[in-house]
């Protein structure tokens, strides 16, 4: 369906972007699915929410990647997904 095409397209863009984008995609997806399971996010809004989180994420260059920066990025993604999900429900 339409949602499947959106997920596939988004996943392909994330793969092409590389860097921390796949980790951000995965973290945002996990937060969104949890929000859906608890009734805080409608199923059709999952893809749009993940896309919004990815749109707000600045993928650092490979030279700038460190464990600390990546963990900070994942924490900010989780916070942003949590912030975004109530507004989408």
């Amino acid at each position: 369906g339409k949602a499947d095409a959106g997920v596939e397209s988004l996943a392909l863009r994330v793969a092409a972007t590389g860097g921390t984008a796949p980790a951000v995609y995965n973290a945002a997806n996990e937060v969104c699915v949890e929000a859906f399971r608890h009734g805080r996010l409608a199923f059709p809004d999952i893809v749009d929410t993940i896309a919004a989180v990815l749109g707000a994420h600045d993928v650092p260059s490979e030279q700038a990647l460190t464990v600390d920066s990546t963990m900070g990025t994942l924490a900010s993604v989780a916070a942003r997904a949590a912030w975004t999900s109530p507004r989408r429900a």
Side-chain angles (χ1 to χ4, degrees), residues 9-84:
S9 173
L10 189 58
L12 290 172
R13 283 188 286 154
V14 165
T17 301
T20 55
V24 170
Y25 175 92
N26 187 57
N29 183 60
E30 288 183 17
V31 171
C32 286
V33 169
E34 189 67 18
F36 165 73
R37 291 182 60 234
H38 291 282
R40 296 188 312 265
L41 184 66
F43 183 78
D45 294 332
I46 291 174
V47 174
D48 290 340
T49 302
I50 294 169
V53 170
L54 285 165
H57 174 62
D58 183 25
V59 178
S61 68
E62 288 188 33
Q63 295 82 10
L65 284 177
T66 65
V67 171
D68 290 338
S69 69
T70 302
M71 293 309 291
T73 295
L74 294 176
S76 68
V77 165
R80 181 156 182 94
W83 174 85
T84 304

Short mmCIF file of all heavy atoms in Angstrom, two decimals, residues 9-84:
data_model
loop_
_atom_site.label_atom_id
_atom_site.label_comp_id
_atom_site.label_asym_id
_atom_site.label_seq_id
_atom_site.Cartn_x
_atom_site.Cartn_y
_atom_site.Cartn_z
N SER A 9 10.72 3.92 0.21
CA SER A 9 11.39 5.08 -0.33
C SER A 9 12.28 5.74 0.72
O SER A 9 13.42 6.11 0.44
CB SER A 9 10.35 6.08 -0.84
OG SER A 9 10.96 7.28 -1.23
N LEU A 10 11.75 5.87 1.92
CA LEU A 10 12.51 6.48 3.01
C LEU A 10 13.73 5.63 3.35
O LEU A 10 14.83 6.15 3.53
CB LEU A 10 11.61 6.66 4.23
CG LEU A 10 12.15 7.45 5.39
CD1 LEU A 10 12.56 8.86 4.97
CD2 LEU A 10 11.10 7.53 6.50
N ALA A 11 13.55 4.33 3.42
CA ALA A 11 14.66 3.43 3.74
C ALA A 11 15.76 3.50 2.68
O ALA A 11 16.95 3.49 3.00
CB ALA A 11 14.16 2.00 3.89
N LEU A 12 15.37 3.61 1.41
CA LEU A 12 16.36 3.72 0.34
C LEU A 12 17.15 5.03 0.44
O LEU A 12 18.37 5.04 0.24
CB LEU A 12 15.69 3.60 -1.03
CG LEU A 12 15.17 2.22 -1.38
CD1 LEU A 12 14.34 2.27 -2.67
CD2 LEU A 12 16.31 1.22 -1.51
N ARG A 13 16.45 6.12 0.78
CA ARG A 13 17.15 7.41 0.95
C ARG A 13 18.11 7.35 2.13
O ARG A 13 19.22 7.88 2.06
CB ARG A 13 16.15 8.54 1.14
CG ARG A 13 15.50 8.97 -0.16
CD ARG A 13 14.68 10.20 0.01
NE ARG A 13 13.44 9.81 0.71
CZ ARG A 13 12.71 10.61 1.46
NH1 ARG A 13 13.05 11.86 1.63
NH2 ARG A 13 11.61 10.17 2.03
N VAL A 14 17.69 6.69 3.21
CA VAL A 14 18.54 6.56 4.40
C VAL A 14 19.79 5.76 4.05
O VAL A 14 20.90 6.13 4.43
CB VAL A 14 17.76 5.91 5.56
CG1 VAL A 14 18.68 5.44 6.66
CG2 VAL A 14 16.73 6.88 6.11
N ALA A 15 19.61 4.66 3.33
CA ALA A 15 20.75 3.83 2.94
C ALA A 15 21.72 4.62 2.06
O ALA A 15 22.94 4.51 2.22
CB ALA A 15 20.27 2.58 2.21
N ALA A 16 21.19 5.42 1.15
CA ALA A 16 22.05 6.22 0.28
C ALA A 16 22.78 7.31 1.05
O ALA A 16 23.92 7.65 0.73
CB ALA A 16 21.21 6.84 -0.84
N THR A 17 22.14 7.85 2.08
CA THR A 17 22.76 8.90 2.90
C THR A 17 23.89 8.34 3.74
O THR A 17 24.95 8.95 3.85
CB THR A 17 21.70 9.57 3.80
OG1 THR A 17 20.68 10.11 2.98
CG2 THR A 17 22.31 10.65 4.67
N GLY A 18 23.67 7.18 4.33
CA GLY A 18 24.70 6.54 5.16
C GLY A 18 24.97 7.31 6.43
O GLY A 18 24.10 8.00 6.96
N GLY A 19 26.20 7.21 6.91
CA GLY A 19 26.58 7.88 8.16
C GLY A 19 25.71 7.42 9.31
O GLY A 19 25.48 6.22 9.49
N THR A 20 25.20 8.37 10.08
CA THR A 20 24.36 8.05 11.23
C THR A 20 22.88 7.94 10.85
O THR A 20 22.05 7.58 11.69
CB THR A 20 24.50 9.13 12.32
OG1 THR A 20 24.22 10.41 11.74
CG2 THR A 20 25.89 9.12 12.93
N ALA A 21 22.54 8.22 9.59
CA ALA A 21 21.13 8.20 9.17
C ALA A 21 20.44 6.85 9.44
O ALA A 21 19.32 6.83 9.94
CB ALA A 21 20.99 8.60 7.71
N PRO A 22 21.08 5.71 9.14
CA PRO A 22 20.41 4.44 9.43
C PRO A 22 20.13 4.23 10.92
O PRO A 22 19.08 3.71 11.30
CB PRO A 22 21.38 3.38 8.90
CG PRO A 22 22.13 4.09 7.82
CD PRO A 22 22.30 5.50 8.34
N ALA A 23 21.05 4.64 11.77
CA ALA A 23 20.83 4.51 13.22
C ALA A 23 19.70 5.42 13.68
O ALA A 23 18.88 5.04 14.51
CB ALA A 23 22.12 4.83 13.99
N VAL A 24 19.63 6.62 13.12
CA VAL A 24 18.57 7.57 13.45
C VAL A 24 17.23 7.01 12.97
O VAL A 24 16.23 7.06 13.69
CB VAL A 24 18.87 8.95 12.84
CG1 VAL A 24 17.68 9.88 12.96
CG2 VAL A 24 20.09 9.55 13.51
N TYR A 25 17.20 6.47 11.77
CA TYR A 25 15.99 5.85 11.23
C TYR A 25 15.50 4.75 12.16
O TYR A 25 14.32 4.69 12.51
CB TYR A 25 16.30 5.30 9.84
CG TYR A 25 15.19 4.51 9.19
CD1 TYR A 25 14.28 5.13 8.35
CD2 TYR A 25 15.07 3.14 9.39
CE1 TYR A 25 13.27 4.41 7.73
CE2 TYR A 25 14.06 2.41 8.78
CZ TYR A 25 13.16 3.06 7.95
OH TYR A 25 12.17 2.33 7.35
N ASN A 26 16.41 3.88 12.55
CA ASN A 26 16.04 2.76 13.41
C ASN A 26 15.53 3.25 14.77
O ASN A 26 14.51 2.76 15.28
CB ASN A 26 17.24 1.82 13.60
CG ASN A 26 16.84 0.57 14.33
OD1 ASN A 26 15.94 -0.15 13.90
ND2 ASN A 26 17.49 0.31 15.45
N ALA A 27 16.24 4.20 15.38
CA ALA A 27 15.82 4.71 16.68
C ALA A 27 14.45 5.39 16.60
O ALA A 27 13.58 5.18 17.45
CB ALA A 27 16.87 5.69 17.22
N ALA A 28 14.26 6.19 15.57
CA ALA A 28 12.97 6.87 15.40
C ALA A 28 11.85 5.86 15.17
O ALA A 28 10.75 6.00 15.72
CB ALA A 28 13.05 7.86 14.24
N ASN A 29 12.13 4.84 14.39
CA ASN A 29 11.14 3.79 14.14
C ASN A 29 10.76 3.10 15.44
O ASN A 29 9.57 2.88 15.71
CB ASN A 29 11.68 2.78 13.13
CG ASN A 29 10.65 1.73 12.79
OD1 ASN A 29 9.57 2.03 12.30
ND2 ASN A 29 10.97 0.48 13.08
N GLU A 30 11.73 2.76 16.26
CA GLU A 30 11.44 2.08 17.53
C GLU A 30 10.58 2.95 18.44
O GLU A 30 9.63 2.47 19.06
CB GLU A 30 12.73 1.67 18.22
CG GLU A 30 13.42 0.52 17.52
CD GLU A 30 14.67 0.05 18.23
OE1 GLU A 30 14.86 0.38 19.42
OE2 GLU A 30 15.46 -0.66 17.59
N VAL A 31 10.90 4.23 18.53
CA VAL A 31 10.12 5.15 19.36
C VAL A 31 8.71 5.29 18.81
O VAL A 31 7.73 5.29 19.56
CB VAL A 31 10.82 6.52 19.48
CG1 VAL A 31 9.92 7.53 20.16
CG2 VAL A 31 12.13 6.38 20.25
N CYS A 32 8.59 5.39 17.49
CA CYS A 32 7.27 5.53 16.87
C CYS A 32 6.41 4.28 17.07
O CYS A 32 5.21 4.39 17.36
CB CYS A 32 7.41 5.82 15.38
SG CYS A 32 7.96 7.50 15.02
N VAL A 33 7.00 3.12 16.90
CA VAL A 33 6.24 1.88 17.10
C VAL A 33 5.77 1.78 18.55
O VAL A 33 4.63 1.40 18.81
CB VAL A 33 7.07 0.65 16.67
CG1 VAL A 33 6.42 -0.65 17.11
CG2 VAL A 33 7.26 0.65 15.15
N GLU A 34 6.62 2.13 19.47
CA GLU A 34 6.23 2.11 20.89
C GLU A 34 5.09 3.10 21.14
O GLU A 34 4.12 2.80 21.85
CB GLU A 34 7.44 2.44 21.77
CG GLU A 34 7.20 2.25 23.24
CD GLU A 34 7.00 0.78 23.64
OE1 GLU A 34 7.37 -0.14 22.88
OE2 GLU A 34 6.46 0.56 24.73
N ALA A 35 5.17 4.30 20.54
CA ALA A 35 4.10 5.29 20.68
C ALA A 35 2.80 4.76 20.08
O ALA A 35 1.72 4.93 20.65
CB ALA A 35 4.50 6.61 20.03
N PHE A 36 2.89 4.08 18.94
CA PHE A 36 1.72 3.48 18.31
C PHE A 36 1.11 2.42 19.21
O PHE A 36 -0.11 2.39 19.43
CB PHE A 36 2.10 2.88 16.95
CG PHE A 36 1.06 1.95 16.39
CD1 PHE A 36 -0.13 2.46 15.88
CD2 PHE A 36 1.26 0.58 16.39
CE1 PHE A 36 -1.10 1.61 15.38
CE2 PHE A 36 0.30 -0.27 15.89
CZ PHE A 36 -0.88 0.23 15.38
N ARG A 37 1.95 1.57 19.76
CA ARG A 37 1.46 0.49 20.64
C ARG A 37 0.72 1.03 21.86
O ARG A 37 -0.16 0.37 22.39
CB ARG A 37 2.62 -0.40 21.08
CG ARG A 37 3.20 -1.23 19.94
CD ARG A 37 4.32 -2.15 20.38
NE ARG A 37 3.85 -3.08 21.38
CZ ARG A 37 4.42 -3.25 22.59
NH1 ARG A 37 5.49 -2.57 22.91
NH2 ARG A 37 3.93 -4.11 23.44
N HIS A 38 1.09 2.23 22.30
CA HIS A 38 0.47 2.83 23.48
C HIS A 38 -0.60 3.85 23.11
O HIS A 38 -1.06 4.61 23.97
CB HIS A 38 1.54 3.44 24.38
CG HIS A 38 2.41 2.41 25.02
ND1 HIS A 38 2.01 1.67 26.11
CD2 HIS A 38 3.64 1.96 24.69
CE1 HIS A 38 2.96 0.81 26.44
NE2 HIS A 38 3.97 0.96 25.58
N GLY A 39 -0.98 3.89 21.83
CA GLY A 39 -2.06 4.76 21.40
C GLY A 39 -1.72 6.24 21.31
O GLY A 39 -2.61 7.08 21.24
N ARG A 40 -0.43 6.56 21.28
CA ARG A 40 -0.01 7.97 21.20
C ARG A 40 0.30 8.43 19.78
O ARG A 40 0.53 9.61 19.55
CB ARG A 40 1.20 8.20 22.10
CG ARG A 40 0.93 8.00 23.58
CD ARG A 40 2.09 8.43 24.46
NE ARG A 40 3.37 7.92 24.00
CZ ARG A 40 3.95 6.80 24.45
NH1 ARG A 40 3.37 6.07 25.36
NH2 ARG A 40 5.14 6.45 23.99
N LEU A 41 0.30 7.49 18.84
CA LEU A 41 0.62 7.82 17.45
C LEU A 41 -0.21 6.91 16.55
O LEU A 41 -0.25 5.70 16.77
CB LEU A 41 2.12 7.60 17.18
CG LEU A 41 2.66 7.98 15.81
CD1 LEU A 41 2.56 9.48 15.58
CD2 LEU A 41 4.11 7.53 15.67
N ALA A 42 -0.87 7.49 15.57
CA ALA A 42 -1.64 6.69 14.61
C ALA A 42 -0.68 5.97 13.67
O ALA A 42 0.36 6.51 13.29
CB ALA A 42 -2.58 7.60 13.83
N PHE A 43 -1.05 4.76 13.27
CA PHE A 43 -0.18 3.96 12.40
C PHE A 43 0.23 4.70 11.13
O PHE A 43 1.41 4.70 10.76
CB PHE A 43 -0.86 2.62 12.07
CG PHE A 43 0.00 1.72 11.25
CD1 PHE A 43 1.03 1.00 11.83
CD2 PHE A 43 -0.20 1.60 9.88
CE1 PHE A 43 1.85 0.18 11.08
CE2 PHE A 43 0.60 0.77 9.12
CZ PHE A 43 1.63 0.06 9.72
N PRO A 44 -0.71 5.36 10.43
CA PRO A 44 -0.31 6.05 9.19
C PRO A 44 0.67 7.20 9.42
O PRO A 44 1.32 7.65 8.48
CB PRO A 44 -1.63 6.59 8.63
CG PRO A 44 -2.70 5.78 9.28
CD PRO A 44 -2.15 5.41 10.63
N ASP A 45 0.81 7.67 10.66
CA ASP A 45 1.71 8.79 10.94
C ASP A 45 3.14 8.36 11.24
O ASP A 45 4.03 9.20 11.39
CB ASP A 45 1.18 9.61 12.13
CG ASP A 45 -0.12 10.31 11.80
OD1 ASP A 45 -0.34 10.61 10.61
OD2 ASP A 45 -0.91 10.54 12.72
N ILE A 46 3.38 7.06 11.32
CA ILE A 46 4.72 6.58 11.65
C ILE A 46 5.75 7.04 10.62
O ILE A 46 6.78 7.60 10.97
CB ILE A 46 4.75 5.04 11.82
CG1 ILE A 46 3.97 4.65 13.09
CG2 ILE A 46 6.18 4.52 11.89
CD1 ILE A 46 3.81 3.15 13.28
N VAL A 47 5.47 6.83 9.34
CA VAL A 47 6.44 7.19 8.29
C VAL A 47 6.70 8.69 8.28
O VAL A 47 7.86 9.12 8.20
CB VAL A 47 5.96 6.71 6.90
CG1 VAL A 47 6.88 7.21 5.80
CG2 VAL A 47 5.88 5.20 6.87
N ASP A 48 5.64 9.50 8.40
CA ASP A 48 5.82 10.96 8.41
C ASP A 48 6.64 11.42 9.60
O ASP A 48 7.45 12.34 9.49
CB ASP A 48 4.47 11.68 8.40
CG ASP A 48 3.72 11.53 7.09
OD1 ASP A 48 4.37 11.21 6.07
OD2 ASP A 48 2.50 11.73 7.09
N THR A 49 6.43 10.78 10.75
CA THR A 49 7.18 11.15 11.95
C THR A 49 8.65 10.79 11.79
O THR A 49 9.53 11.59 12.11
CB THR A 49 6.58 10.47 13.20
OG1 THR A 49 5.20 10.86 13.31
CG2 THR A 49 7.31 10.89 14.45
N ILE A 50 8.92 9.59 11.28
CA ILE A 50 10.31 9.19 11.04
C ILE A 50 10.97 10.15 10.05
O ILE A 50 12.11 10.58 10.25
CB ILE A 50 10.40 7.74 10.55
CG1 ILE A 50 9.93 6.78 11.65
CG2 ILE A 50 11.82 7.39 10.11
CD1 ILE A 50 9.73 5.35 11.16
N ALA A 51 10.25 10.51 9.00
CA ALA A 51 10.78 11.44 8.00
C ALA A 51 11.08 12.80 8.63
O ALA A 51 12.10 13.42 8.33
CB ALA A 51 9.81 11.59 6.83
N ALA A 52 10.21 13.26 9.54
CA ALA A 52 10.44 14.54 10.21
C ALA A 52 11.68 14.48 11.10
O ALA A 52 12.48 15.43 11.13
CB ALA A 52 9.21 14.92 11.05
N VAL A 53 11.86 13.37 11.79
CA VAL A 53 13.05 13.21 12.64
C VAL A 53 14.30 13.20 11.77
O VAL A 53 15.29 13.88 12.06
CB VAL A 53 12.95 11.93 13.50
CG1 VAL A 53 14.27 11.62 14.19
CG2 VAL A 53 11.83 12.08 14.52
N LEU A 54 14.27 12.44 10.68
CA LEU A 54 15.42 12.40 9.77
C LEU A 54 15.69 13.77 9.16
O LEU A 54 16.85 14.15 8.97
CB LEU A 54 15.19 11.36 8.68
CG LEU A 54 15.35 9.92 9.13
CD1 LEU A 54 14.75 8.98 8.09
CD2 LEU A 54 16.80 9.58 9.39
N GLY A 55 14.64 14.50 8.85
CA GLY A 55 14.80 15.84 8.28
C GLY A 55 15.47 16.80 9.24
O GLY A 55 16.17 17.73 8.83
N ALA A 56 15.29 16.58 10.52
CA ALA A 56 15.88 17.45 11.54
C ALA A 56 17.29 16.99 11.93
O ALA A 56 18.01 17.71 12.61
CB ALA A 56 15.00 17.48 12.79
N HIS A 57 17.68 15.80 11.47
CA HIS A 57 18.98 15.23 11.83
C HIS A 57 20.06 15.71 10.87
O HIS A 57 19.91 15.63 9.65
CB HIS A 57 18.90 13.70 11.81
CG HIS A 57 20.21 13.03 12.02
ND1 HIS A 57 20.94 13.18 13.17
CD2 HIS A 57 20.94 12.21 11.22
CE1 HIS A 57 22.05 12.47 13.07
NE2 HIS A 57 22.08 11.88 11.91
N ASP A 58 21.14 16.21 11.43
CA ASP A 58 22.29 16.64 10.64
C ASP A 58 23.30 15.49 10.64
O ASP A 58 23.91 15.20 11.67
CB ASP A 58 22.90 17.90 11.25
CG ASP A 58 24.06 18.44 10.44
OD1 ASP A 58 24.11 18.18 9.23
OD2 ASP A 58 24.89 19.14 11.03
N VAL A 59 23.44 14.81 9.52
CA VAL A 59 24.37 13.68 9.43
C VAL A 59 25.79 14.22 9.43
O VAL A 59 26.17 14.94 8.52
CB VAL A 59 24.11 12.84 8.16
CG1 VAL A 59 25.11 11.70 8.04
CG2 VAL A 59 22.68 12.32 8.14
N PRO A 60 26.57 13.88 10.47
CA PRO A 60 27.95 14.38 10.52
C PRO A 60 28.84 13.67 9.50
O PRO A 60 28.53 12.56 9.06
CB PRO A 60 28.40 14.04 11.94
CG PRO A 60 27.52 12.91 12.38
CD PRO A 60 26.23 13.06 11.63
N SER A 61 29.92 14.32 9.14
CA SER A 61 30.89 13.68 8.25
C SER A 61 31.53 12.51 8.99
O SER A 61 31.51 12.44 10.22
CB SER A 61 31.96 14.68 7.82
OG SER A 61 32.77 15.02 8.93
N GLU A 62 32.12 11.60 8.23
CA GLU A 62 32.76 10.44 8.86
C GLU A 62 33.87 10.86 9.81
O GLU A 62 34.08 10.24 10.84
CB GLU A 62 33.31 9.49 7.80
CG GLU A 62 32.21 8.74 7.08
CD GLU A 62 32.77 7.68 6.16
OE1 GLU A 62 33.81 7.08 6.48
OE2 GLU A 62 32.13 7.45 5.13
N GLN A 63 34.56 11.96 9.49
CA GLN A 63 35.64 12.42 10.36
C GLN A 63 35.12 12.92 11.70
O GLN A 63 35.81 12.88 12.70
CB GLN A 63 36.44 13.55 9.68
CG GLN A 63 37.18 13.14 8.43
CD GLN A 63 36.29 13.10 7.19
OE1 GLN A 63 35.16 13.55 7.21
NE2 GLN A 63 36.80 12.52 6.12
N ALA A 64 33.88 13.40 11.72
CA ALA A 64 33.31 13.96 12.95
C ALA A 64 32.64 12.90 13.82
O ALA A 64 32.24 13.20 14.94
CB ALA A 64 32.31 15.05 12.60
N LEU A 65 32.51 11.68 13.32
CA LEU A 65 31.82 10.64 14.09
C LEU A 65 32.67 10.14 15.25
O LEU A 65 33.82 9.77 15.08
CB LEU A 65 31.47 9.45 13.19
CG LEU A 65 30.31 9.64 12.25
CD1 LEU A 65 30.14 8.39 11.39
CD2 LEU A 65 29.04 9.93 13.00
N THR A 66 32.08 10.16 16.41
CA THR A 66 32.68 9.57 17.60
C THR A 66 31.56 8.83 18.33
O THR A 66 30.38 9.04 18.06
CB THR A 66 33.27 10.63 18.55
OG1 THR A 66 32.20 11.44 19.05
CG2 THR A 66 34.31 11.50 17.86
N VAL A 67 31.92 7.98 19.27
CA VAL A 67 30.90 7.29 20.06
C VAL A 67 30.05 8.32 20.80
O VAL A 67 28.82 8.23 20.83
CB VAL A 67 31.55 6.29 21.04
CG1 VAL A 67 30.51 5.75 22.02
CG2 VAL A 67 32.20 5.16 20.27
N ASP A 68 30.68 9.33 21.39
CA ASP A 68 29.93 10.34 22.13
C ASP A 68 28.97 11.11 21.23
O ASP A 68 27.83 11.35 21.60
CB ASP A 68 30.87 11.32 22.83
CG ASP A 68 31.62 10.68 23.99
OD1 ASP A 68 31.13 9.66 24.52
OD2 ASP A 68 32.68 11.20 24.36
N SER A 69 29.41 11.49 20.04
CA SER A 69 28.52 12.27 19.16
C SER A 69 27.37 11.40 18.66
O SER A 69 26.24 11.86 18.54
CB SER A 69 29.29 12.86 17.98
OG SER A 69 29.71 11.86 17.08
N THR A 70 27.65 10.12 18.39
CA THR A 70 26.61 9.22 17.93
C THR A 70 25.59 8.97 19.03
O THR A 70 24.38 9.00 18.80
CB THR A 70 27.20 7.90 17.42
OG1 THR A 70 28.13 8.20 16.38
CG2 THR A 70 26.13 6.97 16.90
N MET A 71 26.04 8.75 20.26
CA MET A 71 25.11 8.54 21.37
C MET A 71 24.29 9.80 21.63
O MET A 71 23.10 9.73 21.91
CB MET A 71 25.86 8.11 22.63
CG MET A 71 26.50 6.72 22.51
SD MET A 71 25.38 5.43 21.93
CE MET A 71 24.29 5.29 23.32
N GLY A 72 24.90 10.95 21.50
CA GLY A 72 24.17 12.21 21.65
C GLY A 72 23.12 12.36 20.56
O GLY A 72 22.00 12.81 20.82
N THR A 73 23.47 11.95 19.36
CA THR A 73 22.53 12.01 18.25
C THR A 73 21.34 11.10 18.51
O THR A 73 20.19 11.49 18.33
CB THR A 73 23.22 11.58 16.93
OG1 THR A 73 24.23 12.54 16.63
CG2 THR A 73 22.24 11.51 15.78
N LEU A 74 21.59 9.87 18.95
CA LEU A 74 20.50 8.94 19.21
C LEU A 74 19.61 9.44 20.34
O LEU A 74 18.38 9.32 20.27
CB LEU A 74 21.06 7.55 19.53
CG LEU A 74 21.76 6.86 18.37
CD1 LEU A 74 22.34 5.53 18.83
CD2 LEU A 74 20.83 6.66 17.20
N ALA A 75 20.19 10.03 21.37
CA ALA A 75 19.40 10.59 22.46
C ALA A 75 18.52 11.73 21.97
O ALA A 75 17.35 11.84 22.34
CB ALA A 75 20.30 11.05 23.60
N SER A 76 19.08 12.57 21.10
CA SER A 76 18.28 13.69 20.59
C SER A 76 17.18 13.20 19.67
O SER A 76 16.09 13.77 19.63
CB SER A 76 19.16 14.73 19.90
OG SER A 76 19.70 14.22 18.71
N VAL A 77 17.44 12.13 18.93
CA VAL A 77 16.41 11.56 18.06
C VAL A 77 15.26 11.00 18.89
O VAL A 77 14.09 11.24 18.60
CB VAL A 77 17.00 10.45 17.16
CG1 VAL A 77 15.90 9.61 16.52
CG2 VAL A 77 17.86 11.07 16.10
N ALA A 78 15.59 10.27 19.94
CA ALA A 78 14.54 9.73 20.80
C ALA A 78 13.71 10.85 21.41
O ALA A 78 12.49 10.77 21.46
CB ALA A 78 15.15 8.84 21.88
N ALA A 79 14.37 11.91 21.85
CA ALA A 79 13.66 13.04 22.43
C ALA A 79 12.78 13.72 21.38
O ALA A 79 11.63 14.07 21.64
CB ALA A 79 14.65 14.04 23.03
N ARG A 80 13.29 13.88 20.17
CA ARG A 80 12.51 14.53 19.11
C ARG A 80 11.32 13.68 18.70
O ARG A 80 10.22 14.20 18.49
CB ARG A 80 13.38 14.83 17.89
CG ARG A 80 12.60 15.52 16.80
CD ARG A 80 13.49 16.31 15.89
NE ARG A 80 12.70 16.98 14.89
CZ ARG A 80 12.26 18.21 14.99
NH1 ARG A 80 12.53 18.92 16.06
NH2 ARG A 80 11.56 18.75 14.03
N ALA A 81 11.52 12.37 18.59
CA ALA A 81 10.41 11.49 18.23
C ALA A 81 9.34 11.53 19.32
O ALA A 81 8.15 11.56 19.03
CB ALA A 81 10.90 10.07 18.01
N ALA A 82 9.77 11.55 20.58
CA ALA A 82 8.81 11.64 21.69
C ALA A 82 8.09 12.99 21.64
O ALA A 82 6.89 13.07 21.91
CB ALA A 82 9.53 11.45 23.02
N TRP A 83 8.80 14.06 21.28
CA TRP A 83 8.20 15.38 21.19
C TRP A 83 7.21 15.45 20.03
O TRP A 83 6.16 16.04 20.12
CB TRP A 83 9.30 16.42 21.01
CG TRP A 83 8.79 17.82 20.76
CD1 TRP A 83 8.43 18.71 21.69
CD2 TRP A 83 8.60 18.45 19.49
NE1 TRP A 83 8.03 19.88 21.08
CE2 TRP A 83 8.11 19.74 19.74
CE3 TRP A 83 8.79 18.04 18.17
CZ2 TRP A 83 7.82 20.64 18.71
CZ3 TRP A 83 8.49 18.93 17.16
CH2 TRP A 83 8.02 20.21 17.44
N THR A 84 7.58 14.81 18.92
CA THR A 84 6.76 14.88 17.73
C THR A 84 5.52 14.02 17.83
O THR A 84 4.45 14.40 17.38
CB THR A 84 7.58 14.41 16.48
OG1 THR A 84 8.75 15.23 16.40
CG2 THR A 84 6.79 14.55 15.21
#
